[in-house]
PDB file of all heavy atoms in Angstrom:
ATOM      1  N   ASP A 379      -9.694   5.503 -40.923  1.00 94.00           N
ATOM      2  CA  ASP A 379     -10.520   6.695 -40.591  1.00 94.00           C
ATOM      3  C   ASP A 379     -11.843   6.294 -39.936  1.00 94.00           C
ATOM      4  O   ASP A 379     -12.889   6.905 -40.220  1.00 94.00           O
ATOM      5  CB  ASP A 379     -10.757   7.546 -41.848  1.00 94.00           C
ATOM      6  CG  ASP A 379     -11.134   9.020 -41.437  1.00 94.00           C
ATOM      7  OD1 ASP A 379     -11.054   9.352 -40.220  1.00 94.00           O
ATOM      8  OD2 ASP A 379     -11.456   9.788 -42.323  1.00 94.00           O
ATOM      9  N   SER A 380     -11.816   5.330 -39.032  1.00 93.00           N
ATOM     10  CA  SER A 380     -13.031   4.866 -38.379  1.00 93.00           C
ATOM     11  C   SER A 380     -13.159   5.348 -36.937  1.00 93.00           C
ATOM     12  O   SER A 380     -14.029   4.931 -36.237  1.00 93.00           O
ATOM     13  CB  SER A 380     -13.103   3.324 -38.393  1.00 93.00           C
ATOM     14  OG  SER A 380     -11.971   2.754 -37.751  1.00 93.00           O
ATOM     15  N   HIS A 381     -12.226   6.225 -36.533  1.00 94.00           N
ATOM     16  CA  HIS A 381     -12.237   6.723 -35.159  1.00 94.00           C
ATOM     17  C   HIS A 381     -12.013   8.211 -35.150  1.00 94.00           C
ATOM     18  O   HIS A 381     -11.668   8.833 -36.177  1.00 94.00           O
ATOM     19  CB  HIS A 381     -11.095   6.049 -34.354  1.00 94.00           C
ATOM     20  CG  HIS A 381     -11.225   4.584 -34.250  1.00 94.00           C
ATOM     21  ND1 HIS A 381     -12.062   3.941 -33.374  1.00 94.00           N
ATOM     22  CD2 HIS A 381     -10.570   3.556 -34.938  1.00 94.00           C
ATOM     23  CE1 HIS A 381     -11.944   2.625 -33.525  1.00 94.00           C
ATOM     24  NE2 HIS A 381     -11.064   2.380 -34.451  1.00 94.00           N
ATOM     25  N   LEU A 382     -12.230   8.822 -33.979  1.00 93.00           N
ATOM     26  CA  LEU A 382     -11.974  10.247 -33.828  1.00 93.00           C
ATOM     27  C   LEU A 382     -10.513  10.580 -33.913  1.00 93.00           C
ATOM     28  O   LEU A 382      -9.663   9.736 -33.677  1.00 93.00           O
ATOM     29  CB  LEU A 382     -12.552  10.719 -32.489  1.00 93.00           C
ATOM     30  CG  LEU A 382     -14.088  10.575 -32.260  1.00 93.00           C
ATOM     31  CD1 LEU A 382     -14.443  10.967 -30.844  1.00 93.00           C
ATOM     32  CD2 LEU A 382     -14.836  11.400 -33.279  1.00 93.00           C
ATOM     33  N   HIS A 383     -10.215  11.836 -34.212  1.00 95.00           N
ATOM     34  CA  HIS A 383      -8.850  12.298 -34.279  1.00 95.00           C
ATOM     35  C   HIS A 383      -8.784  13.769 -33.837  1.00 95.00           C
ATOM     36  O   HIS A 383      -9.799  14.443 -33.768  1.00 95.00           O
ATOM     37  CB  HIS A 383      -8.250  12.155 -35.667  1.00 95.00           C
ATOM     38  CG  HIS A 383      -8.825  13.156 -36.664  1.00 95.00           C
ATOM     39  ND1 HIS A 383     -10.007  12.885 -37.343  1.00 95.00           N
ATOM     40  CD2 HIS A 383      -8.426  14.405 -37.042  1.00 95.00           C
ATOM     41  CE1 HIS A 383     -10.295  13.924 -38.069  1.00 95.00           C
ATOM     42  NE2 HIS A 383      -9.335  14.861 -37.950  1.00 95.00           N
ATOM     43  N   ALA A 384      -7.554  14.247 -33.562  1.00 95.00           N
ATOM     44  CA  ALA A 384      -7.358  15.623 -33.184  1.00 95.00           C
ATOM     45  C   ALA A 384      -5.905  16.001 -33.417  1.00 95.00           C
ATOM     46  O   ALA A 384      -5.029  15.179 -33.279  1.00 95.00           O
ATOM     47  CB  ALA A 384      -7.785  15.927 -31.766  1.00 95.00           C
ATOM     48  N   PHE A 385      -5.683  17.282 -33.778  1.00 95.00           N
ATOM     49  CA  PHE A 385      -4.347  17.833 -33.855  1.00 95.00           C
ATOM     50  C   PHE A 385      -4.177  18.718 -32.615  1.00 95.00           C
ATOM     51  O   PHE A 385      -5.002  19.563 -32.274  1.00 95.00           O
ATOM     52  CB  PHE A 385      -4.167  18.703 -35.085  1.00 95.00           C
ATOM     53  CG  PHE A 385      -4.145  17.947 -36.391  1.00 95.00           C
ATOM     54  CD1 PHE A 385      -5.293  17.764 -37.107  1.00 95.00           C
ATOM     55  CD2 PHE A 385      -2.972  17.459 -36.876  1.00 95.00           C
ATOM     56  CE1 PHE A 385      -5.263  17.068 -38.333  1.00 95.00           C
ATOM     57  CE2 PHE A 385      -2.906  16.734 -38.083  1.00 95.00           C
ATOM     58  CZ  PHE A 385      -4.079  16.569 -38.820  1.00 95.00           C
ATOM     59  N   GLU A 386      -3.046  18.508 -31.865  1.00 94.00           N
ATOM     60  CA  GLU A 386      -2.755  19.318 -30.756  1.00 94.00           C
ATOM     61  C   GLU A 386      -1.537  20.178 -31.076  1.00 94.00           C
ATOM     62  O   GLU A 386      -0.439  19.637 -31.377  1.00 94.00           O
ATOM     63  CB  GLU A 386      -2.441  18.424 -29.504  1.00 94.00           C
ATOM     64  CG  GLU A 386      -3.652  17.576 -29.101  1.00 94.00           C
ATOM     65  CD  GLU A 386      -3.386  16.627 -27.975  1.00 94.00           C
ATOM     66  OE1 GLU A 386      -2.216  16.623 -27.481  1.00 94.00           O
ATOM     67  OE2 GLU A 386      -4.303  15.909 -27.566  1.00 94.00           O
ATOM     68  N   THR A 387      -1.740  21.501 -31.052  1.00 93.00           N
ATOM     69  CA  THR A 387      -0.721  22.399 -31.506  1.00 93.00           C
ATOM     70  C   THR A 387      -0.509  23.514 -30.462  1.00 93.00           C
ATOM     71  O   THR A 387      -1.246  23.616 -29.476  1.00 93.00           O
ATOM     72  CB  THR A 387      -1.153  23.092 -32.837  1.00 93.00           C
ATOM     73  OG1 THR A 387      -2.090  24.113 -32.572  1.00 93.00           O
ATOM     74  CG2 THR A 387      -1.791  22.075 -33.780  1.00 93.00           C
ATOM     75  N   GLY A 388       0.469  24.372 -30.724  1.00 89.00           N
ATOM     76  CA  GLY A 388       0.707  25.492 -29.851  1.00 89.00           C
ATOM     77  C   GLY A 388      -0.395  26.551 -29.917  1.00 89.00           C
ATOM     78  O   GLY A 388      -0.417  27.484 -29.115  1.00 89.00           O
ATOM     79  N   HIS A 389      -1.281  26.393 -30.892  1.00 89.00           N
ATOM     80  CA  HIS A 389      -2.377  27.344 -31.071  1.00 89.00           C
ATOM     81  C   HIS A 389      -3.719  26.726 -30.677  1.00 89.00           C
ATOM     82  O   HIS A 389      -4.791  27.248 -30.986  1.00 89.00           O
ATOM     83  CB  HIS A 389      -2.449  27.815 -32.504  1.00 89.00           C
ATOM     84  CG  HIS A 389      -1.259  28.616 -32.912  1.00 89.00           C
ATOM     85  ND1 HIS A 389      -1.162  29.983 -32.726  1.00 89.00           N
ATOM     86  CD2 HIS A 389      -0.100  28.209 -33.503  1.00 89.00           C
ATOM     87  CE1 HIS A 389       0.056  30.376 -33.170  1.00 89.00           C
ATOM     88  NE2 HIS A 389       0.699  29.363 -33.667  1.00 89.00           N
ATOM     89  N   GLY A 390      -3.659  25.591 -29.950  1.00 90.00           N
ATOM     90  CA  GLY A 390      -4.901  24.946 -29.521  1.00 90.00           C
ATOM     91  C   GLY A 390      -5.083  23.603 -30.192  1.00 90.00           C
ATOM     92  O   GLY A 390      -4.212  23.123 -30.948  1.00 90.00           O
ATOM     93  N   ALA A 391      -6.238  22.994 -29.949  1.00 93.00           N
ATOM     94  CA  ALA A 391      -6.566  21.671 -30.499  1.00 93.00           C
ATOM     95  C   ALA A 391      -7.582  21.802 -31.634  1.00 93.00           C
ATOM     96  O   ALA A 391      -8.541  22.610 -31.519  1.00 93.00           O
ATOM     97  CB  ALA A 391      -7.078  20.751 -29.423  1.00 93.00           C
ATOM     98  N   PHE A 392      -7.404  21.016 -32.675  1.00 94.00           N
ATOM     99  CA  PHE A 392      -8.266  21.108 -33.849  1.00 94.00           C
ATOM    100  C   PHE A 392      -8.723  19.678 -34.250  1.00 94.00           C
ATOM    101  O   PHE A 392      -7.941  18.761 -34.207  1.00 94.00           O
ATOM    102  CB  PHE A 392      -7.563  21.756 -35.025  1.00 94.00           C
ATOM    103  CG  PHE A 392      -7.052  23.118 -34.735  1.00 94.00           C
ATOM    104  CD1 PHE A 392      -5.802  23.318 -34.137  1.00 94.00           C
ATOM    105  CD2 PHE A 392      -7.821  24.250 -34.982  1.00 94.00           C
ATOM    106  CE1 PHE A 392      -5.292  24.587 -33.853  1.00 94.00           C
ATOM    107  CE2 PHE A 392      -7.375  25.516 -34.679  1.00 94.00           C
ATOM    108  CZ  PHE A 392      -6.097  25.712 -34.135  1.00 94.00           C
ATOM    109  N   ALA A 393      -9.980  19.552 -34.582  1.00 94.00           N
ATOM    110  CA  ALA A 393     -10.579  18.285 -34.963  1.00 94.00           C
ATOM    111  C   ALA A 393     -11.536  18.474 -36.092  1.00 94.00           C
ATOM    112  O   ALA A 393     -11.741  19.604 -36.629  1.00 94.00           O
ATOM    113  CB  ALA A 393     -11.215  17.597 -33.787  1.00 94.00           C
ATOM    114  N   ARG A 394     -12.198  17.374 -36.496  1.00 93.00           N
ATOM    115  CA  ARG A 394     -13.116  17.478 -37.671  1.00 93.00           C
ATOM    116  C   ARG A 394     -14.231  18.509 -37.428  1.00 93.00           C
ATOM    117  O   ARG A 394     -14.629  19.200 -38.330  1.00 93.00           O
ATOM    118  CB  ARG A 394     -13.674  16.098 -37.951  1.00 93.00           C
ATOM    119  CG  ARG A 394     -14.649  16.068 -39.101  1.00 93.00           C
ATOM    120  CD  ARG A 394     -15.061  14.657 -39.469  1.00 93.00           C
ATOM    121  NE  ARG A 394     -14.056  13.974 -40.284  1.00 93.00           N
ATOM    122  CZ  ARG A 394     -13.466  12.884 -39.920  1.00 93.00           C
ATOM    123  NH1 ARG A 394     -13.793  12.282 -38.811  1.00 93.00           N
ATOM    124  NH2 ARG A 394     -12.540  12.326 -40.711  1.00 93.00           N
ATOM    125  N   SER A 395     -14.735  18.542 -36.204  1.00 89.00           N
ATOM    126  CA  SER A 395     -15.793  19.518 -35.922  1.00 89.00           C
ATOM    127  C   SER A 395     -15.517  20.179 -34.561  1.00 89.00           C
ATOM    128  O   SER A 395     -14.765  19.631 -33.730  1.00 89.00           O
ATOM    129  CB  SER A 395     -17.188  18.814 -35.867  1.00 89.00           C
ATOM    130  OG  SER A 395     -17.161  17.766 -34.944  1.00 89.00           O
ATOM    131  N   ALA A 396     -16.066  21.363 -34.377  1.00 85.00           N
ATOM    132  CA  ALA A 396     -15.892  22.073 -33.101  1.00 85.00           C
ATOM    133  C   ALA A 396     -16.581  21.358 -31.951  1.00 85.00           C
ATOM    134  O   ALA A 396     -17.633  20.791 -32.132  1.00 85.00           O
ATOM    135  CB  ALA A 396     -16.461  23.478 -33.242  1.00 85.00           C
ATOM    136  N   ASP A 397     -15.904  21.364 -30.789  1.00 83.00           N
ATOM    137  CA  ASP A 397     -16.454  20.795 -29.583  1.00 83.00           C
ATOM    138  C   ASP A 397     -15.988  21.643 -28.426  1.00 83.00           C
ATOM    139  O   ASP A 397     -14.865  21.420 -27.926  1.00 83.00           O
ATOM    140  CB  ASP A 397     -16.042  19.323 -29.430  1.00 83.00           C
ATOM    141  CG  ASP A 397     -16.764  18.625 -28.281  1.00 83.00           C
ATOM    142  OD1 ASP A 397     -17.134  19.291 -27.287  1.00 83.00           O
ATOM    143  OD2 ASP A 397     -16.943  17.393 -28.396  1.00 83.00           O
ATOM    144  N   PRO A 398     -16.847  22.593 -27.937  1.00 77.00           N
ATOM    145  CA  PRO A 398     -16.381  23.454 -26.829  1.00 77.00           C
ATOM    146  C   PRO A 398     -16.016  22.691 -25.560  1.00 77.00           C
ATOM    147  O   PRO A 398     -15.120  23.077 -24.830  1.00 77.00           O
ATOM    148  CB  PRO A 398     -17.579  24.387 -26.615  1.00 77.00           C
ATOM    149  CG  PRO A 398     -18.344  24.318 -27.894  1.00 77.00           C
ATOM    150  CD  PRO A 398     -18.137  22.955 -28.437  1.00 77.00           C
ATOM    151  N   ASP A 399     -16.734  21.568 -25.316  1.00 74.00           N
ATOM    152  CA  ASP A 399     -16.411  20.833 -24.095  1.00 74.00           C
ATOM    153  C   ASP A 399     -15.022  20.240 -24.138  1.00 74.00           C
ATOM    154  O   ASP A 399     -14.336  20.172 -23.109  1.00 74.00           O
ATOM    155  CB  ASP A 399     -17.448  19.679 -23.886  1.00 74.00           C
ATOM    156  CG  ASP A 399     -18.745  20.190 -23.379  1.00 74.00           C
ATOM    157  OD1 ASP A 399     -18.798  21.359 -22.910  1.00 74.00           O
ATOM    158  OD2 ASP A 399     -19.760  19.474 -23.467  1.00 74.00           O
ATOM    159  N   LEU A 400     -14.556  19.800 -25.317  1.00 80.00           N
ATOM    160  CA  LEU A 400     -13.245  19.218 -25.449  1.00 80.00           C
ATOM    161  C   LEU A 400     -12.194  20.291 -25.822  1.00 80.00           C
ATOM    162  O   LEU A 400     -11.006  19.984 -25.878  1.00 80.00           O
ATOM    163  CB  LEU A 400     -13.209  18.131 -26.512  1.00 80.00           C
ATOM    164  CG  LEU A 400     -14.076  16.886 -26.190  1.00 80.00           C
ATOM    165  CD1 LEU A 400     -14.072  15.888 -27.353  1.00 80.00           C
ATOM    166  CD2 LEU A 400     -13.592  16.215 -24.898  1.00 80.00           C
ATOM    167  N   GLY A 401     -12.651  21.506 -26.087  1.00 82.00           N
ATOM    168  CA  GLY A 401     -11.704  22.548 -26.528  1.00 82.00           C
ATOM    169  C   GLY A 401     -11.258  22.385 -27.972  1.00 82.00           C
ATOM    170  O   GLY A 401     -10.189  22.946 -28.318  1.00 82.00           O
ATOM    171  N   HIS A 402     -12.004  21.659 -28.801  1.00 89.00           N
ATOM    172  CA  HIS A 402     -11.632  21.468 -30.173  1.00 89.00           C
ATOM    173  C   HIS A 402     -12.224  22.566 -31.066  1.00 89.00           C
ATOM    174  O   HIS A 402     -13.414  22.869 -30.928  1.00 89.00           O
ATOM    175  CB  HIS A 402     -12.121  20.107 -30.662  1.00 89.00           C
ATOM    176  CG  HIS A 402     -11.393  18.956 -30.077  1.00 89.00           C
ATOM    177  ND1 HIS A 402     -11.817  17.632 -30.230  1.00 89.00           N
ATOM    178  CD2 HIS A 402     -10.260  18.912 -29.339  1.00 89.00           C
ATOM    179  CE1 HIS A 402     -11.011  16.840 -29.581  1.00 89.00           C
ATOM    180  NE2 HIS A 402     -10.055  17.568 -29.016  1.00 89.00           N
ATOM    181  N   ARG A 403     -11.414  23.100 -31.936  1.00 90.00           N
ATOM    182  CA  ARG A 403     -11.903  23.976 -32.988  1.00 90.00           C
ATOM    183  C   ARG A 403     -11.856  23.257 -34.324  1.00 90.00           C
ATOM    184  O   ARG A 403     -11.089  22.286 -34.496  1.00 90.00           O
ATOM    185  CB  ARG A 403     -11.065  25.227 -33.043  1.00 90.00           C
ATOM    186  CG  ARG A 403     -11.271  26.144 -31.833  1.00 90.00           C
ATOM    187  CD  ARG A 403     -10.469  27.427 -31.982  1.00 90.00           C
ATOM    188  NE  ARG A 403      -9.068  27.254 -31.677  1.00 90.00           N
ATOM    189  CZ  ARG A 403      -8.149  28.179 -31.881  1.00 90.00           C
ATOM    190  NH1 ARG A 403      -8.479  29.342 -32.423  1.00 90.00           N
ATOM    191  NH2 ARG A 403      -6.860  27.940 -31.580  1.00 90.00           N
ATOM    192  N   PRO A 404     -12.641  23.664 -35.324  1.00 92.00           N
ATOM    193  CA  PRO A 404     -12.649  22.960 -36.610  1.00 92.00           C
ATOM    194  C   PRO A 404     -11.322  23.075 -37.296  1.00 92.00           C
ATOM    195  O   PRO A 404     -10.637  24.101 -37.359  1.00 92.00           O
ATOM    196  CB  PRO A 404     -13.740  23.651 -37.379  1.00 92.00           C
ATOM    197  CG  PRO A 404     -13.937  24.982 -36.738  1.00 92.00           C
ATOM    198  CD  PRO A 404     -13.572  24.803 -35.289  1.00 92.00           C
ATOM    199  N   GLU A 405     -10.889  21.979 -37.899  1.00 94.00           N
ATOM    200  CA  GLU A 405      -9.551  21.880 -38.514  1.00 94.00           C
ATOM    201  C   GLU A 405      -9.556  22.333 -39.958  1.00 94.00           C
ATOM    202  O   GLU A 405      -8.501  22.733 -40.479  1.00 94.00           O
ATOM    203  CB  GLU A 405      -9.077  20.412 -38.480  1.00 94.00           C
ATOM    204  CG  GLU A 405      -9.952  19.492 -39.306  1.00 94.00           C
ATOM    205  CD  GLU A 405      -9.623  18.011 -39.102  1.00 94.00           C
ATOM    206  OE1 GLU A 405      -8.944  17.659 -38.119  1.00 94.00           O
ATOM    207  OE2 GLU A 405     -10.078  17.191 -39.899  1.00 94.00           O
ATOM    208  N   LYS A 406     -10.714  22.342 -40.629  1.00 92.00           N
ATOM    209  CA  LYS A 406     -10.736  22.590 -42.092  1.00 92.00           C
ATOM    210  C   LYS A 406     -10.210  23.995 -42.468  1.00 92.00           C
ATOM    211  O   LYS A 406      -9.489  24.087 -43.482  1.00 92.00           O
ATOM    212  CB  LYS A 406     -12.139  22.388 -42.608  1.00 92.00           C
ATOM    213  CG  LYS A 406     -12.239  22.379 -44.096  1.00 92.00           C
ATOM    214  CD  LYS A 406     -13.642  21.983 -44.571  1.00 92.00           C
ATOM    215  CE  LYS A 406     -13.710  21.934 -46.107  1.00 92.00           C
ATOM    216  NZ  LYS A 406     -15.054  21.489 -46.557  1.00 92.00           N
ATOM    217  N   PRO A 407     -10.494  25.033 -41.694  1.00 92.00           N
ATOM    218  CA  PRO A 407     -10.033  26.380 -42.128  1.00 92.00           C
ATOM    219  C   PRO A 407      -8.552  26.598 -41.784  1.00 92.00           C
ATOM    220  O   PRO A 407      -8.029  27.640 -42.196  1.00 92.00           O
ATOM    221  CB  PRO A 407     -10.911  27.324 -41.282  1.00 92.00           C
ATOM    222  CG  PRO A 407     -11.983  26.481 -40.665  1.00 92.00           C
ATOM    223  CD  PRO A 407     -11.418  25.108 -40.562  1.00 92.00           C
ATOM    224  N   VAL A 408      -7.895  25.696 -41.066  1.00 94.00           N
ATOM    225  CA  VAL A 408      -6.541  25.943 -40.597  1.00 94.00           C
ATOM    226  C   VAL A 408      -5.530  25.216 -41.473  1.00 94.00           C
ATOM    227  O   VAL A 408      -5.682  24.060 -41.815  1.00 94.00           O
ATOM    228  CB  VAL A 408      -6.361  25.446 -39.127  1.00 94.00           C
ATOM    229  CG1 VAL A 408      -4.981  25.738 -38.584  1.00 94.00           C
ATOM    230  CG2 VAL A 408      -7.450  26.063 -38.241  1.00 94.00           C
ATOM    231  N   THR A 409      -4.463  25.945 -41.827  1.00 95.00           N
ATOM    232  CA  THR A 409      -3.414  25.317 -42.673  1.00 95.00           C
ATOM    233  C   THR A 409      -2.234  24.888 -41.816  1.00 95.00           C
ATOM    234  O   THR A 409      -2.017  25.370 -40.696  1.00 95.00           O
ATOM    235  CB  THR A 409      -2.891  26.312 -43.688  1.00 95.00           C
ATOM    236  OG1 THR A 409      -2.207  27.366 -43.040  1.00 95.00           O
ATOM    237  CG2 THR A 409      -4.027  26.854 -44.565  1.00 95.00           C
ATOM    238  N   LEU A 410      -1.422  23.970 -42.381  1.00 95.00           N
ATOM    239  CA  LEU A 410      -0.273  23.450 -41.673  1.00 95.00           C
ATOM    240  C   LEU A 410       0.707  24.582 -41.348  1.00 95.00           C
ATOM    241  O   LEU A 410       1.295  24.635 -40.282  1.00 95.00           O
ATOM    242  CB  LEU A 410       0.391  22.398 -42.537  1.00 95.00           C
ATOM    243  CG  LEU A 410       1.712  21.780 -42.037  1.00 95.00           C
ATOM    244  CD1 LEU A 410       1.508  21.174 -40.682  1.00 95.00           C
ATOM    245  CD2 LEU A 410       2.220  20.736 -43.030  1.00 95.00           C
ATOM    246  N   LYS A 411       0.906  25.542 -42.296  1.00 93.00           N
ATOM    247  CA  LYS A 411       1.862  26.598 -42.091  1.00 93.00           C
ATOM    248  C   LYS A 411       1.434  27.502 -40.919  1.00 93.00           C
ATOM    249  O   LYS A 411       2.277  28.113 -40.261  1.00 93.00           O
ATOM    250  CB  LYS A 411       2.043  27.440 -43.385  1.00 93.00           C
ATOM    251  CG  LYS A 411       3.162  28.481 -43.224  1.00 93.00           C
ATOM    252  CD  LYS A 411       3.515  29.074 -44.548  1.00 93.00           C
ATOM    253  CE  LYS A 411       4.588  30.171 -44.369  1.00 93.00           C
ATOM    254  NZ  LYS A 411       5.771  29.675 -43.690  1.00 93.00           N
ATOM    255  N   GLN A 412       0.134  27.615 -40.676  1.00 93.00           N
ATOM    256  CA  GLN A 412      -0.324  28.475 -39.547  1.00 93.00           C
ATOM    257  C   GLN A 412       0.089  27.894 -38.206  1.00 93.00           C
ATOM    258  O   GLN A 412       0.333  28.653 -37.266  1.00 93.00           O
ATOM    259  CB  GLN A 412      -1.853  28.630 -39.608  1.00 93.00           C
ATOM    260  CG  GLN A 412      -2.317  29.557 -40.691  1.00 93.00           C
ATOM    261  CD  GLN A 412      -3.814  29.681 -40.649  1.00 93.00           C
ATOM    262  OE1 GLN A 412      -4.558  28.768 -41.086  1.00 93.00           O
ATOM    263  NE2 GLN A 412      -4.338  30.791 -40.131  1.00 93.00           N
ATOM    264  N   VAL A 413       0.165  26.580 -38.082  1.00 94.00           N
ATOM    265  CA  VAL A 413       0.484  25.971 -36.760  1.00 94.00           C
ATOM    266  C   VAL A 413       1.897  25.450 -36.716  1.00 94.00           C
ATOM    267  O   VAL A 413       2.414  25.139 -35.627  1.00 94.00           O
ATOM    268  CB  VAL A 413      -0.525  24.831 -36.436  1.00 94.00           C
ATOM    269  CG1 VAL A 413      -1.932  25.419 -36.266  1.00 94.00           C
ATOM    270  CG2 VAL A 413      -0.537  23.785 -37.487  1.00 94.00           C
ATOM    271  N   ALA A 414       2.562  25.280 -37.852  1.00 93.00           N
ATOM    272  CA  ALA A 414       3.975  24.765 -37.879  1.00 93.00           C
ATOM    273  C   ALA A 414       4.674  25.430 -39.026  1.00 93.00           C
ATOM    274  O   ALA A 414       4.919  24.779 -40.061  1.00 93.00           O
ATOM    275  CB  ALA A 414       3.969  23.253 -38.015  1.00 93.00           C
ATOM    276  N   PRO A 415       5.036  26.692 -38.896  1.00 89.00           N
ATOM    277  CA  PRO A 415       5.498  27.448 -40.056  1.00 89.00           C
ATOM    278  C   PRO A 415       6.956  27.244 -40.452  1.00 89.00           C
ATOM    279  O   PRO A 415       7.324  27.541 -41.592  1.00 89.00           O
ATOM    280  CB  PRO A 415       5.250  28.912 -39.629  1.00 89.00           C
ATOM    281  CG  PRO A 415       5.385  28.858 -38.142  1.00 89.00           C
ATOM    282  CD  PRO A 415       4.865  27.509 -37.714  1.00 89.00           C
ATOM    283  N   GLN A 416       7.817  26.776 -39.533  1.00 92.00           N
ATOM    284  CA  GLN A 416       9.218  26.740 -39.862  1.00 92.00           C
ATOM    285  C   GLN A 416       9.842  25.418 -39.411  1.00 92.00           C
ATOM    286  O   GLN A 416       9.256  24.645 -38.666  1.00 92.00           O
ATOM    287  CB  GLN A 416       9.956  27.923 -39.220  1.00 92.00           C
ATOM    288  CG  GLN A 416      10.154  27.828 -37.710  1.00 92.00           C
ATOM    289  CD  GLN A 416       8.911  28.245 -36.929  1.00 92.00           C
ATOM    290  OE1 GLN A 416       8.198  29.162 -37.389  1.00 92.00           O
ATOM    291  NE2 GLN A 416       8.639  27.616 -35.815  1.00 92.00           N
ATOM    292  N   ALA A 417      11.083  25.216 -39.859  1.00 92.00           N
ATOM    293  CA  ALA A 417      11.810  23.993 -39.446  1.00 92.00           C
ATOM    294  C   ALA A 417      11.953  23.968 -37.954  1.00 92.00           C
ATOM    295  O   ALA A 417      12.244  24.945 -37.322  1.00 92.00           O
ATOM    296  CB  ALA A 417      13.155  23.978 -40.162  1.00 92.00           C
ATOM    297  N   GLY A 418      11.768  22.767 -37.401  1.00 92.00           N
ATOM    298  CA  GLY A 418      11.849  22.590 -35.924  1.00 92.00           C
ATOM    299  C   GLY A 418      10.487  22.656 -35.249  1.00 92.00           C
ATOM    300  O   GLY A 418      10.385  22.244 -34.088  1.00 92.00           O
TER     301      GLY A 418
END
Side-chain angles (χ1 to χ4, degrees):
D379 201 5
S380 59
H381 299 281
L382 297 175
H383 71 274
F385 290 94
E386 297 177 1
T387 79
H389 295 273
F392 301 88
R394 179 172 282 122
S395 57
D397 189 329
D399 283 345
L400 295 177
H402 290 169
R403 289 184 283 172
E405 64 189 16
K406 191 172 183 178
V408 182
T409 67
L410 176 57
K411 185 168 178 57
Q412 285 181 286
V413 295
Q416 72 280 326

